[in-house]
Every structure is written in C-alpha cells, then in structure tokens.
Amino acid sequence: MTATRTVDSPWPDELELIDGPEAEAAHVDMVADVYSMDRGWIETMINPDMYGFDDSYAVVGTLDGEPVTTGFALRRGSGAGVFNIATTDGHRGKGYGAAATAAVTNHWFDRGITHATLQSSDMGRSVYRRIGFRDVMTHRRWSEPEVSEG
C-alpha cells in the first residue's frame, strides 16, 4: 500500500506520544509482545542499531503510562517504509494504530518525502485505506503447513 500525501489520523488526546530514544527502546519490546514473537528474531529484522539514524523514526503511544501502540518508519531517498504498526489487544479499534501510522508517516512527509509504503495485514488494510493509503499490488503469502502430532 502507498500514500503520496500526508495521511489523516490525528493523535488522540488521551495518548501520550513518545518518540526519540525512549520510543526506540520500547518499540521492539512492544512489537514482540503484540505479535508474540521472539525479541531476538525481531531484532534481526529491525536492528536496534538502526534507531538513531537520521532516517529512522519510531513512536510509542502510552495510556496511563502503559504502551498501547507503536510504529516505525525508515526513510530511503524520496520515500519511507512504514513497519511494525502494533496495538495491544485491549486497545484495538480506537484509532491508536491509525494514529501511530500517521505519526511516523507524516514525520517524513513533513521532511519532504513523496511517498510512503507499507505491507498490510488483513486486519490493518481497512485502517490504512481509511487514512489515505491505497493498494498498489498484491502478493502471495507463503508459509509452512501446520503439522499435527500423532
């Protein structure tokens, strides 16, 4: 999916926006928790050494001190890739993931990118469409079949 202009989803008043080193430190942990993935495996995809580069930006949204949403974007040339938008189970459907997506995307539009791209899950597709992303291609998802024991 791609957006070619600032996306539309304001930051909810009840969420505290955290960015910079504090968000970068919390981003991988939150993605690991939300997607039930091994933290070390996530670090091989989004290496913590990437944070702090001039071309990376992470946000975490907290509610009463608890992280409930996060997102990350990496600028390359005139575009940015949006990654790891995650919202905790009990806080989905409230616009928090859309706000995190808009925050990391618009950060780069404000700095001159011409397009942002992301790969959507089925769950996120309608959210991304609503805030201004559009489909540009489809792809097949391959996985190993589940093996039953017995």
Side-chain angles (χ1 to χ4, degrees):
M1 300 186 84
T2 192
T4 55
R5 60 172 176 74
T6 303
V7 296
D8 183 29
S9 188
W11 194 260
D13 290 338
E14 68 271 20
L15 285 184
E16 179 183 1
L17 172 68
I18 298 169
D19 61 2
E22 189 177 352
E24 294 161 1
H27 178 74
V28 170
D29 286 333
M30 188 169 176
V31 170
D33 289 344
V34 168
Y35 293 114
S36 300
M37 297 171 75
D38 177 72
R39 187 183 200 288
W41 191 83
I42 291 171
E43 286 179 342
T44 65
M45 295 185 323
I46 302 237
N47 188 306
D49 292 338
M50 288 173 34
Y51 300 123
F53 285 133
D54 290 340
D55 290 340
S56 68
Y57 185 66
V59 298
V60 172
T62 65
L63 186 62
D64 298 325
E66 283 294 313
V68 297
T69 194
T70 190
F72 175 75
L74 190 61
R75 180 179 62 184
R76 287 293 180 259
S78 62
V82 178
F83 302 96
N84 296 339
I85 302 300
T87 302
T88 56
D89 282 337
H91 295 94
R92 291 187 181 134
K94 299 177 182 178
Y96 299 160
T101 306
V104 297
T105 303
N106 293 340
H107 174 84
W108 292 120
F109 274 117
D110 292 346
R111 287 156 180 78
I113 66 164
T114 61
H115 60 283
T117 60
L118 58 79
Q119 182 177 333
S120 178
S121 65
D122 291 338
M123 183 180 1
R125 189 168 292 108
S126 65
V127 173
Y128 301 133
R129 284 179 180 150
R130 180 174 44 83
I131 66 174
F133 281 82
R134 62 184 175 81
D135 295 312
V136 292
M137 65 178 286
T138 57
H139 67 278
R140 294 188 188 269
R141 215 175 299 166
W142 301 94
S143 63
E144 292 185 32
E146 291 187 30
V147 177
S148 61
E149 295 186 31

